Amino acid sequence: MCPFGNPVARSQARRILRRLEEFQEIIFDFRDVEILGQGFADEVFRVFQNRYPEIVLTMRNANKSVQGMIRHVSGGRNKTYPL
């Protein structure tokens, strides 16, 4: 998803999310992702999720740091399901 490093920027999230509102579930695989930037996480797990609450966001292979950032931006109110 981000071939040149960890996903950190809001602009990276917007590019990834383009046209994904057409799906019912989106699976994010965080394998080899050490950190998740606050801008990226906010755009996906707060802004996008609030805009499309019916879409289920699922994450795979997220380490504690990534999970913590997702919890932080969503205020613990996300519908993200770990696999």
Side-chain angles (χ1 to χ4, degrees):
M1 122 175 127
C2 295
F4 301 110
N6 290 308
V8 295
R10 192 173 298 275
S11 60
Q12 290 172 303
R14 288 180 184 147
R15 279 192 300 274
I16 289 168
L17 294 169
R18 203 170 288 142
R19 298 186 59 159
L20 291 183
E21 71 276 358
E22 300 171 9
F23 294 90
Q24 295 176 339
E25 181 180 16
I26 302 168
I27 300 172
F28 291 93
D29 188 347
F30 290 104
R31 181 184 341 243
D32 299 326
V33 173
E34 296 297 320
I35 61 165
L36 188 63
Q38 186 170 351
F40 183 95
D42 184 61
E43 188 67 27
V44 173
F45 298 103
R46 188 187 63 81
V47 175
F48 182 84
Q49 185 70 93
N50 286 340
R51 189 174 297 143
Y52 303 102
E54 70 282 358
I55 297 176
V56 176
L57 302 181
T58 302
M59 61 180 171
R60 287 185 179 159
N61 302 309
N63 66 26
K64 296 283 187 199
S65 174
V66 170
Q67 291 174 22
M69 181 56 73
I70 292 168
R71 271 193 307 278
H72 172 70
V73 299
S74 66
R77 299 178 312 273
N78 67 359
K79 295 188 323 184
T80 307
Y81 301 100
L83 288 177

